[in-house]
Amino acid sequence: MNRPAQVNRPGQTLWLICITVLLAGCVSQPPPPAAIPADALLVVIDDPRPTRLRSFVDAPGYGAPIAYAADPILQRYANTIARDYNTAVVQAWPLRSLGVHCFVIEPIDQATRARLDQDPRIKWTQPFNTYTLQANPSARANSSSDNPTMHGGLPLAGTGAGTRISIIDTGVDLSHRDLMGSRIRYQDYVPAMRDDQAERHGTAVLGLIAARGADGLVHGLAPDAEVQHVRGCWEAADGQGMCNTLTLALALEAALAFQPTVLNLSLSGPRDRVLDALIAQLGVRGTIVVSAHDESRAPQERFPRPAQHVLYAMAGTTVSKHTDLEHAFVAPGQAVSLSPMNNYDLVQGHSVAAPHLTALVARLAAHQPRAPHAVHIQQLHRLLE
């Protein structure tokens, strides 16, 4: 008997958080990430709280927007630093896995930033970055009579059973008939945006991995994997999938807590020191990271940057012109997948290649669960070259 997909949303524990911070009081939701100024600055400091307070609330993000505003220690430190430089805190959040506290301040001039960078209280400063998802949904198939099927196959049998896959993307339509019975843990870390799971890009990427093919329609490539889908991105008014340093940092903390075999990032953008540190932590814990390729940026200037556990998925037929990437793989770049309201989309681009590669990694790991990620990457090279 099919069971509906499981939903795990941090907001459901809001009342518990409010009780624990009763003296501080519950706070209103912060501004949406899209409202943060494009030239705002991200400041990173060591988490000043005692160890017992840093670990009091389970990761990731300490319930996203609530705990920061309710924590007088973090609030005081961030506000004091901001006032010292005649600016104000726009948004803030702790990252337990890195032992740091991050806060975004209103734009300051270069001279002020130079002084801020020399402040011994500061670990580093960096831009507050924006990221985009790398796929283009096209002609929609609206009924079963269109008989949509997956495009492209994988060179290894299996269903991903026994593995864990994390996906960071836009929201999903968990009520889609082809997701019924899938093992999906859903979390939302896009504060103050519309709480609408039915977004196209995330639904399509999740479908490529986890769909169970109701009525003989779309079949996911690793349907028996345990999947964590984290909404770390949102759909802009023009339909483009967007993310930023805040939402991706919280989503990556969620992935670290889940301890996935493989993480799917069908997105790209500029290099980011905070996000790179979180990606490095995933590698230390044995996770392979699959990212959509970005031909517009040099390898060292993109997120995620090249590393031994980071793979790049390209839609195409050859990687010969991308010899600057050690772990670049070609995968199918076009597929029919799920779309909200029990529909289907033809999707294409590097975002589509990424879940194909993610599923293949999961299948390899299912065959050799104790092998380190270096072994699985070597097997990928043999299978796909």
Side-chain angles (χ1 to χ4, degrees):
M1 183 180 197
N2 286 341
R3 295 181 294 109
Q6 300 174 12
V7 179
N8 181 4
R9 190 174 300 166
Q12 292 175 339
T13 60
L14 174 59
W15 67 276
L16 289 174
I17 297 172
C18 290
I19 290 173
T20 62
V21 297
L22 185 59
L23 294 178
C26 288
V27 296
S28 60
Q29 194 86 329
I36 296 175
D39 53 352
L41 188 68
L42 177 65
V43 181
V44 181
I45 63 174
D46 285 318
D47 191 328
R49 297 174 299 176
T51 302
R52 65 180 181 81
L53 292 180
R54 288 187 225 166
S55 58
F56 176 70
V57 183
D58 195 17
Y62 308 99
I66 301 301
Y68 160 69
D71 191 311
I73 298 175
L74 294 179
Q75 190 177 47
R76 181 172 66 250
Y77 266 74
N79 287 337
T80 298
I81 292 172
R83 283 195 301 269
D84 288 348
Y85 293 91
N86 296 314
T87 186
V89 175
V90 178
Q91 178 60 285
W93 66 99
L95 293 174
R96 187 174 70 178
S97 62
L98 302 181
V100 301
H101 182 59
C102 307
F103 58 96
V104 180
I105 58 174
E106 293 177 348
I108 56 177
D109 58 40
Q110 288 299 317
T112 304
R113 180 175 178 180
R115 290 192 294 114
L116 186 63
D117 285 334
Q118 297 301 314
D119 192 318
R121 296 171 294 180
I122 309 302
K123 289 182 72 68
W124 74 80
T125 64
Q126 65 171 70
F128 186 76
N129 293 310
T130 301
Y131 300 84
T132 56
L133 297 160
Q134 303 293 302
N136 300 304
S138 58
R140 174 170 294 185
N142 287 310
S143 71
S144 60
S145 63
D146 294 308
N147 194 25
T149 57
M150 293 295 297
H151 290 261
L154 297 185
L156 182 71
T159 61
T163 65
R164 288 185 162 198
I165 298 175
S166 285
I167 301 168
I168 297 177
D169 215 289
T170 64
V172 297
D173 183 359
L174 290 172
S175 66
H176 198 290
R177 61 189 171 197
D178 283 2
L179 292 175
M180 299 301 289
S182 298
R183 301 176 65 194
I184 301 167
R185 178 185 303 188
Y186 181 81
Q187 296 169 279
D188 189 344
Y189 288 97
V190 182
M193 300 292 284
R194 62 189 178 91
D195 187 16
D196 183 358
Q197 297 177 38
E199 293 176 304
R200 293 179 69 188
H201 192 281
T203 302
V205 170
L206 179 62
L208 290 172
I209 290 173
R212 303 196 71 84
D215 301 324
L217 299 179
V218 173
H219 293 270
L221 299 167
D224 290 329
E226 185 178 352
V227 176
Q228 174 201 44
H229 190 102
V230 186
R231 187 181 183 228
C233 309
W234 68 94
E235 203 170 87
D238 61 359
Q240 174 69 60
M242 308 292 295
C243 332
N244 61 32
T245 302
L246 163 60
T247 59
L248 288 181
L250 294 176
L252 287 168
E253 279 263 290
L256 278 162
F258 185 65
Q259 298 184 338
T261 309
V262 56
L263 166 66
N264 188 91
L265 295 172
S266 290
L267 55 91
S268 184
R271 178 181 176 182
D272 189 293
R273 189 169 175 182
V274 166
L275 302 183
D276 284 341
L278 291 165
I279 291 292
Q281 284 290 315
L282 284 161
V284 169
R285 300 185 190 188
T287 297
I288 292 177
V289 176
V290 174
S291 173
H293 176 55
D294 184 352
E295 54 273 313
S296 68
R297 289 183 171 84
Q300 293 299 325
E301 298 304 319
R302 72 181 63 177
F303 169 77
R305 289 193 301 160
Q308 287 304 306
H309 67 294
V310 175
L311 315 182
Y312 297 98
M314 291 189 243
T317 58
T318 178
V319 297
S320 60
K321 61 181 179 179
H322 300 290
T323 54
D324 55 342
L325 292 171
E326 180 182 2
H327 298 318
F329 301 90
V330 166
Q334 179 172 278
V336 171
S337 190
L338 311 186
S339 185
M341 300 181 67
N342 284 324
N343 290 315
Y344 302 88
D345 273 340
L346 174 63
V347 288
Q348 52 196 348
H350 299 312
S351 270
V352 177
H356 278 82
L357 188 58
T358 291
L360 183 51
V361 172
R363 291 185 183 188
L364 286 168
H367 280 276
Q368 292 182 288
R370 291 186 174 84
H373 54 60
V375 170
H376 297 143
I377 293 172
Q378 291 173 358
Q379 293 172 330
L380 281 173
H381 280 291
R382 288 196 294 268
L383 283 169
L384 301 179
E385 288 181 349

